[in-house]
Amino acid sequence: MAHLGSGALILALILAIYGIGASLLGARRRIPELLLSGYRATYAVAFLVAVALIALVVSFLRHDFRLAYVAGRSSRDMPLHYVIAAFYGGQEGSLLYWTLVASGLGALALYLHRRSDRALLPYMNATLLSVLTFLLLVLTVVSSPFRLLPVTPPDGAGLNPLLRDPGMMAHPPFLLSGYASFTVPFAFGMAALITGRLGSDWLRAIRRWTLLAWALLGLGLLIGAWWAYHVLGWGGYWGWDPVENLALLPWLTSTAFLHSVIVQERRGMLKVWNLALLLATFALSIFGTFIVRSGMLSSVHAFAVSRIGHWFLTFLALVLIVGIGLLVYRLPGLQSERQIESVTSREAGFLFNNLLFTAMAFAVFWGTTFPLFSELFWETRISVGPPFYNRVVGPLLLVLLLLMAIGPLLAWRRTDVRLLLRNVRWPATAGIGVGLVGLVLFSRPWAAIAYAVTVFAVGVTLQEFWRGTLARRRNARENVLVAAWELLRRNNRRYGGYLVHLAMLLMAVGIIASNAFQLERQFVLRPGEQGTIGPYTVVYRGLEDRRTADAEIVAAQVDIYRGQRYAGTVESFRFFYRNYEDQPTARMGITLVGMDDVYVVLDRWEDDGTASLRVYVNPLVIWIWIGGVVFVLGTVTLFWPQPVPALARVPQSVAGATSEA
Amino acid sequence: MWAHQFVSRHSGAGFTAFVWRACMLLAMVTMMIAVLGVSAVRAEEPLSPEALDIANQLNCPVCQGQSVRDSNSELARQMRQLIQQKLDAGESRDEILQYFVERYGVGVLREPPRQGYLWLLWWGPVAGLVIGIVLVAVYLRRRGEPSSEVVVPVELEDLERVERLLGAEGDAR
Amino acid sequence: MATGESTSTLRVRLPALIVGIVVLVFIGLVAYALQRSQSTSELGVGGRINTVGTLVRFTERAAPDFVLPDLRGGAAIRLADYRGKIVVLNFWASWCPPCREEAPILREFARRYAESGVVIIGIDVWEKNWNDGRAFLDEFGVPYPNAYDTEGRVTIEYGVSGVPETFFVSPDGRLLGKYTGPVKSVEQLVGLLNELGVAPATQ
């Protein structure tokens, strides 16, 4: 298996290099056979990488501890699903997975676009294969998952305990595939730059691919937050840890891209900016992958330092030099076709949106990389923690929410301000009302303002849905439900986008509340004793010792009462996995009472059963996860294939009239 | 029976040590997440909210990315106790923070102080935003003359129809 | 659109060029930082384990005095009692592999420089069970005095953020410097003392 795997990788590397040559030469000399051969090389690379990955998984399943990678991450007593999941539990395996996603999606893109975007494809293919060549080089030369141990140990060390959690089964694959999928839009963007075909074909080609990568990355971040909330035990879900920040960066820039690309599609503006965002997104993906493995930033996700740092940095420099170089070279051909006409236009709205997203990305980037330079220039180790980000990003988020409320109401080119005001009057009234009530009731004014803005934005979004539905009902004579459904289906780009907006707003509800109104108390209790936190009483029942095949578990049982009423029992766990006894992991005891999460952390305990418990009351956090579900629904809507008949029914005159807009 | 008597993995000879070594070499996620100290299970005295708050402003020096409040390492526990003692002795929050800064450097603070070169950190994002605003403003000022066409407020259903057509066109794949 | 084609394209390109240069300078700095950054620690049972050594000098800093119980159960150990000697203060833990590597070297140093006005004092920290520390002393036949810091006050007072960490105290009680990570040889330790200007009398 090891030889099969490493052989497949070497072959893939050779084919990838060949494919670059074939594509470039074929495009230059116009030899269709050579081009085809180049595409086939990509299919073959994807296939070979898949073979390598399967070989790795099979090695895990067969407990083949000759492989250093397998011995280092699995053991015989681990449950099957963790044995399988272990393949991405380390650097080599996760790079292999990265490569598989990039090559697989790349091959798929080549196949799907084989007819429509012929002129771009050779260069898209060459770019894709260049990225793959780099990854395969790393996988074969410096960081091979198929390296053999000189001596075969009878059992492996087992998977890092933090990865032995359901959340971790899903978080890395989504995050990594999000990173990796940005390769496809990047390849198309580079192809557009190389060929100089900077019209709208490449844009059409990449919008969905970017959307896919963006959705995967977003989902990965969300699952990561969920995991952190349930496992890390600081009562929160987002710690502004460098590794989290670095994953957030490409998500921020791609969100900006997905918005501003609409402006280019509709109005032919912002071409340079869009390409720059695309380049930045890909570069940040590489940067994120690189820096967490370079050991330069300290993080909760302290990855072992490895030698591939230099490789990634060199690659990143190449990507940026070529990318920026091409962009500069093509600049004259990227002039806007139109000019912006009014500050109160949809275009301008998107511009502000991009300003905010970019500013946010910059702030996060600045805070994350600053410690690097602090150490370099001032020889001082500093750490930039949550207070910095909350202070800097918080206000930007608030303005963004406000823009989310107004943006959808802006018309292209110019907005009639009176109409706009009329459209916002009810949501704005609701928002202001909530804000005033909040100012009176809440101890924190910022929370009242944030809620006012959120309610305003939710109001506008729902109003848009409602009016769209009513219009359909009137015109198509459908009942309300059918109308709403058809609205989403036929107009999926617009209303799918609004669904995502709604998801973000629901999350905002939870984020604001848990930041503003979290309660925390620490108790040292003997079994049977109790403590109170806010309206809740926690009764500590005692500890229980359990044992599984690969771990010893300590569980603290706590009854929760709201006032006098029993509201549930939670168990807060500590796991001690074999070989990792010094790195116990945990799972929090969390129960939802009304809209509050009561969150119990087992810190320490003594032989007589006395335990230190930390208890948090996190209000409305549940809305973050509900928002996550809506986010998934929204992205599914965005991907929903357009009903074709709609196009067929287009009267010629209308089609002609709209092509200008 | 709560005493977890695990054999320290470093004392294991032979293959355990070997696998441990291999694992060290390869380990990507040698996460340390603070929960250190298996049977260091001394339950600590409860901390006052103020102590917890101060602990939350300090980085645990032996862990990465976790605050003294959240870390379960021995050192963090000792630091929490010390914070509580100092509070009980009447020291102020700033004095306590200063005590740790003197010993562990400014890196021990979760929120970098606003002083010296660290102003760069704090003003960097603001500068970025200002540059962004200026660029957007320049872009907007360059806008052309408003077109002479009259912009008629579009009825929603028309808009919807047009968008549907456009959407269908844009997404034809 | 413009009269001077070349100047206009330059003007169009200039901002992007500037951005490009800024980005590349950034990459260069990161590369430089990467070159300089040495990974110095891993994580162990009780905290950080320093694996690579670096010397930090202190100026004008008095070594905090302490009185700590003897790990072997003897009389309490007090730093001030060693005034007039160079004190090598070694913070260690039994579960830390580099500390194990270092122990024979420190023992050898203590043996060779027994009469030269240098003393080593070990301070055991962050143990789950202090008997582990005692077993460590027996295993390596550590000859020099060893204290243990149950509440971690001295550890915090010295700003220890990992093991092993070695502090150097001058005969008049000043804190000269600290070395994070294991000492690799007796010669290196002597070299460190020399660097700090407190050479032990050679044997």
Side-chain angles (χ1 to χ4, degrees):
Chain A
M1 275 298 149
H3 294 301
L4 176 67
S6 48
L9 287 181
I10 291 170
L11 202 58
L13 175 62
I14 295 167
L15 276 174
I17 295 171
Y18 161 76
I20 300 172
S23 296
L24 293 180
L25 200 69
R28 264 264 123 118
R29 301 264 163 85
R30 299 178 191 286
I31 312 171
E33 290 80 14
L34 210 52
L35 285 178
L36 193 61
S37 165
Y39 303 154
R40 287 188 178 147
T42 307
Y43 300 147
V45 168
F47 174 74
L48 287 167
V49 174
V51 167
L53 192 79
I54 290 168
L56 186 63
V57 173
V58 169
S59 305
F60 268 105
L61 286 174
R62 289 173 29 180
H63 295 303
D64 188 351
F65 297 128
R66 281 174 304 169
L67 271 70
Y69 189 72
V70 176
R73 343 238 138 255
S74 67
S75 58
R76 293 181 195 282
D77 55 9
M78 272 165 47
L80 183 68
H81 53 282
Y82 288 134
V83 172
I84 298 172
F87 82 81
Y88 54 75
Q91 171 186 289
E92 294 86 346
S94 52
L95 269 182
L96 184 59
Y97 176 75
W98 215 108
T99 314
L100 178 71
V101 174
S103 60
L105 286 180
L108 188 67
L110 274 181
Y111 180 75
L112 292 176
H113 293 266
R114 68 193 181 284
R115 301 228 168 73
S116 47
D117 301 284
R118 255 182 212 190
L120 292 178
L121 279 199
Y123 296 100
M124 178 271 179
N125 193 30
T127 313
L128 173 72
L129 285 172
S130 309
V131 176
L132 292 176
T133 301
F134 160 73
L135 290 165
L136 288 165
L137 208 59
V138 171
L139 278 172
T140 45
V141 180
V142 262
S143 177
S144 169
F146 297 104
R147 204 169 55 77
L148 295 175
L149 286 173
V151 188
T152 309
D155 198 357
L159 185 63
N160 184 304
L162 277 166
L163 298 177
R164 300 191 204 186
D165 184 88
M168 267 293 156
M169 299 269 299
H171 166 54
F174 274 107
L175 203 71
L176 287 169
S177 45
Y179 272 151
S181 344
F182 281 120
T183 312
V184 177
F186 169 72
F188 272 112
M190 292 300 279
L193 277 173
I194 296 169
T195 54
R197 292 172 157 269
L198 298 156
S200 54
D201 12 334
W202 76 277
L203 267 188
R204 270 210 309 277
I206 64 161
R207 201 188 66 87
R208 284 184 158 239
W209 292 105
T210 316
L211 200 59
L212 175 70
W214 169 84
L216 287 171
L217 190 61
L219 208 54
L221 288 168
L222 250 159
I223 298 169
W226 187 86
W227 169 81
Y229 188 63
H230 285 80
V231 170
L232 292 189
W234 82 86
Y237 36 83
W238 186 264
W240 294 109
D241 179 87
V243 172
E244 293 169 14
N245 293 348
L246 288 167
L248 181 66
L249 286 173
W251 191 82
L252 289 175
T253 51
S254 56
T255 312
F257 175 81
L258 286 172
H259 284 98
S260 69
V261 87
I262 303 172
V263 180
Q264 183 171 349
E265 270 180 86
R266 287 294 185 82
R267 309 282 298 151
M269 296 187 285
L270 299 178
K271 291 176 179 175
V272 186
W273 177 241
N274 283 328
L275 279 162
L277 276 180
L278 198 61
L279 182 64
T281 303
F282 184 69
L284 285 170
S285 294
I286 299 286
F287 186 67
T289 318
F290 145 71
I291 207 135
V292 297
R293 311 203 186 289
S294 69
M296 295 164 78
L297 296 173
S298 65
S299 141
V300 201
H301 304 61
F303 297 86
V305 179
S306 74
R307 291 166 303 146
I308 65 170
H310 292 94
W311 288 71
F312 267 87
L313 198 59
T314 312
F315 179 63
L316 181 63
L318 273 176
V319 165
L320 284 170
I321 289 171
V322 174
I324 296 176
L326 277 171
L327 200 59
V328 170
Y329 174 68
R330 290 288 179 199
L331 259 183
L334 288 167
Q335 297 305 306
S336 286
E337 291 157 26
R338 295 187 189 77
Q339 286 184 316
I340 212 152
E341 290 174 22
S342 160
V343 182
T344 52
S345 61
R346 175 92 47 111
E347 302 80 312
F350 280 125
L351 211 57
F352 293 130
N353 153 300
N354 268 243
L355 171 66
L356 289 169
F357 270 105
T358 318
M360 234 186 295
F362 178 72
V364 174
F365 183 80
W366 186 258
T368 311
T369 52
F370 198 84
L372 226 67
F373 299 112
S374 172
E375 217 165 333
L376 201 61
F377 295 131
W378 294 281
E379 313 247 310
T380 314
R381 209 177 265 267
I382 62 157
S383 80
V384 182
F388 172 83
Y389 296 102
N390 290 343
R391 212 161 292 223
V392 173
V393 179
L396 291 174
L397 273 176
L398 197 65
V399 182
L400 195 66
L401 287 183
L402 194 64
L403 192 62
M404 203 189 260
I406 299 169
L409 296 173
L410 294 172
W412 291 102
R413 302 172 69 187
R414 204 173 330 152
T415 307
D416 181 339
V417 177
R418 267 179 314 140
L419 192 68
L420 178 70
L421 288 177
R422 212 171 66 208
N423 281 335
V424 301
R425 75 200 140 156
W426 293 118
T429 312
I432 292 169
V434 166
L436 289 177
V437 172
L439 280 176
V440 175
L441 292 181
F442 299 165
S443 49
R444 289 159 207 257
W446 70 261
I449 296 166
Y451 271 123
V453 175
T454 310
V455 167
F456 178 32
V458 169
V460 170
T461 313
L462 291 179
Q463 181 180 279
E464 284 292 288
F465 272 110
W466 181 238
R467 290 169 50 174
T469 308
L470 282 190
R472 269 207 79 83
R473 194 178 67 159
R474 224 178 19 248
N475 291 355
R477 297 180 208 298
E478 295 158 341
N479 75 40
V480 176
L481 285 178
V482 175
W485 170 254
E486 289 291 308
L487 187 72
L488 271 179
R489 198 170 69 92
R490 291 179 184 276
N491 242 327
N492 63 342
R493 279 186 65 179
R494 177 167 183 167
Y495 290 97
Y498 290 166
L499 263 186
V500 174
H501 280 189
L502 206 56
M504 296 299 149
L505 292 166
L506 292 178
M507 288 184 207
V509 169
I511 292 169
I512 298 164
S514 57
N515 273 299
F517 308 116
Q518 184 186 53
L519 300 177
E520 177 190 6
R521 290 234 16 214
Q522 196 209 11
F523 304 106
V524 176
L525 300 176
R526 279 199 291 272
E529 289 182 337
Q530 63 180 53
T532 55
I533 173 165
Y536 298 96
T537 304
V538 292
V539 182
Y540 169 56
R541 295 224 317 245
L543 294 171
E544 211 176 282
D545 230 0
R546 289 173 206 166
R547 196 178 287 266
T548 61
D550 56 345
E552 295 206 25
I553 304 168
V554 177
Q557 294 171 329
V558 178
D559 290 340
I560 316 261
Y561 291 85
R562 190 185 168 104
Q564 293 302 312
R565 198 171 51 80
Y566 171 76
T569 299
V570 295
E571 290 193 316
S572 192
F573 300 101
R574 269 291 147 85
F575 301 90
F576 299 92
Y577 289 98
R578 197 173 58 75
N579 284 343
Y580 292 96
E581 285 84 1
D582 61 334
Q583 297 175 42
T585 60
R587 195 168 306 145
M588 304 306 133
I590 304 172
T591 186
L592 184 66
V593 186
M595 283 285 138
D596 290 341
D597 272 358
V598 181
Y599 181 111
V600 179
V601 190
L602 170 62
D603 268 341
R604 287 163 182 277
W605 59 92
E606 278 175 41
D607 288 358
D608 64 359
T610 306
S612 302
L613 300 173
R614 247 180 313 142
V615 183
Y616 296 86
V617 175
N618 293 324
L620 301 181
V621 167
I622 185 71
W623 288 100
I624 297 174
W625 319 128
I626 294 175
V629 174
V630 177
F631 175 81
V632 173
L633 292 178
T635 45
V636 169
T637 310
L638 284 167
F639 274 105
W640 209 257
Q642 281 282 330
V644 184
L647 190 63
R649 275 197 271 112
V650 177
Q652 204 50 52
S653 60
V654 176
T658 52
S659 68
E660 191 271 335
Chain B
M1 182 40 198
W2 304 114
H4 289 269
Q5 297 295 344
F6 294 108
V7 184
S8 162
R9 69 179 178 201
H10 306 299
S11 60
F15 108 84
T16 322
F18 170 71
V19 171
W20 163 235
R21 223 149 258 277
C23 152
M24 281 290 250
L25 275 171
L26 296 168
M28 132 172 144
V29 211
T30 326
M31 284 199 156
M32 28 85 34
I33 287 285
V35 265
L36 311 157
V38 181
S39 57
V41 288
R42 280 149 288 186
E44 56 188 281
E45 289 305 302
L47 302 173
S48 63
E50 166 118 56
L52 278 174
D53 197 46
I54 295 175
N56 199 31
Q57 290 180 30
L58 293 169
N59 271 312
C60 161
V62 302
C63 343
Q64 300 185 318
Q66 275 203 317
S67 75
V68 169
R69 183 190 70 170
D70 299 331
S71 165
N72 257 357
S73 69
E74 231 357 67
L75 177 61
R77 185 187 68 85
Q78 292 166 348
M79 285 171 75
R80 285 194 294 263
Q81 298 300 315
L82 188 59
I83 292 168
Q84 185 68 66
Q85 279 180 14
K86 284 182 176 291
L87 277 175
D88 295 343
E91 285 189 39
S92 73
R93 158 190 301 250
D94 287 343
E95 284 168 342
I96 295 171
L97 291 177
Q98 189 55 36
Y99 172 87
F100 286 105
V101 169
E102 275 163 16
R103 278 149 192 84
Y104 285 97
V106 289
V108 82
L109 296 176
R110 300 266 276 174
E111 178 169 357
R114 294 174 182 73
Q115 63 181 37
Y117 77 94
L118 288 173
W119 281 111
L120 265 179
L121 169 70
W122 286 96
W123 285 105
V126 179
L129 182 66
V130 169
I131 292 173
I133 291 173
V134 168
L135 288 178
V136 168
V138 168
Y139 188 83
L140 286 176
R141 284 201 66 155
R142 274 203 322 222
R143 70 172 184 259
E145 290 298 301
S147 53
S148 52
E149 308 157 51
V150 181
V151 181
V152 187
V154 188
E155 281 304 309
L156 195 83
E157 52 263 44
D158 296 340
L159 199 69
E160 190 222 352
R161 212 155 66 92
V162 170
E163 293 219 333
R164 190 181 70 224
L165 298 172
L166 272 174
E169 188 190 52
D171 268 17
R173 181 82 296 125
Chain C
M1 53 182 204
T3 42
E5 174 71 16
S6 60
T7 55
S8 93
T9 57
L10 182 68
R11 258 193 56 202
V12 167
R13 282 172 177 158
L14 196 62
L17 275 172
I18 293 170
V19 171
I21 289 165
V22 169
V23 169
L24 290 176
V25 167
F26 174 80
I27 295 287
L29 284 174
V30 173
Y32 179 58
L34 181 66
Q35 211 61 45
R36 287 199 2 168
S37 84
Q38 296 162 311
S39 78
T40 54
S41 59
E42 295 158 0
L43 278 143
V45 181
R48 204 203 303 251
I49 303 168
N50 297 313
T51 53
V52 180
T54 47
L55 179 68
V56 180
R57 283 161 196 279
F58 299 124
T59 48
E60 300 300 311
R61 214 161 133 177
D65 194 18
F66 58 81
V67 183
L68 282 176
D70 186 354
L71 188 56
R72 289 202 181 82
I77 294 168
R78 189 187 150 100
L79 180 66
D81 292 346
Y82 295 89
R83 217 23 91 71
K85 289 185 173 172
I86 302 162
V87 179
V88 176
L89 209 54
N90 178 249
F91 290 84
W92 59 275
S94 64
W95 43 261
C96 135
C99 304
R100 307 183 79 82
E101 287 165 26
E102 185 183 52
I105 295 160
L106 294 179
R107 180 186 59 202
E108 178 62 17
F109 178 89
R111 196 184 59 77
R112 262 198 247 169
Y113 292 90
E115 305 299 324
S116 59
V118 184
V119 290
I120 305 183
I121 299 174
I123 298 181
D124 189 7
V125 297
W126 305 332
E127 297 285 359
K128 32 182 172 178
N129 187 336
W130 298 107
N131 285 328
D132 294 346
R134 295 185 183 105
F136 182 94
L137 295 186
D138 292 341
E139 183 183 345
F140 292 98
V142 176
Y144 48 83
N146 270 277
Y148 65 116
D149 189 11
T150 44
E151 284 310 301
R153 290 303 128 77
V154 176
T155 321
I156 295 172
E157 193 66 43
Y158 274 81
V160 174
S161 59
V163 277
E165 227 164 77
T166 307
F167 290 77
F168 302 96
V169 183
S170 72
D172 55 346
R174 279 176 302 122
L175 199 55
L176 298 171
K178 86 167 171 181
Y179 185 77
T180 54
V183 175
K184 298 287 186 207
S185 67
V186 175
E187 290 68 35
Q188 190 202 6
L189 186 50
V190 175
L192 287 172
L193 287 166
N194 280 328
E195 249 183 272
L196 294 167
V198 280
T202 38
Q203 297 285 293

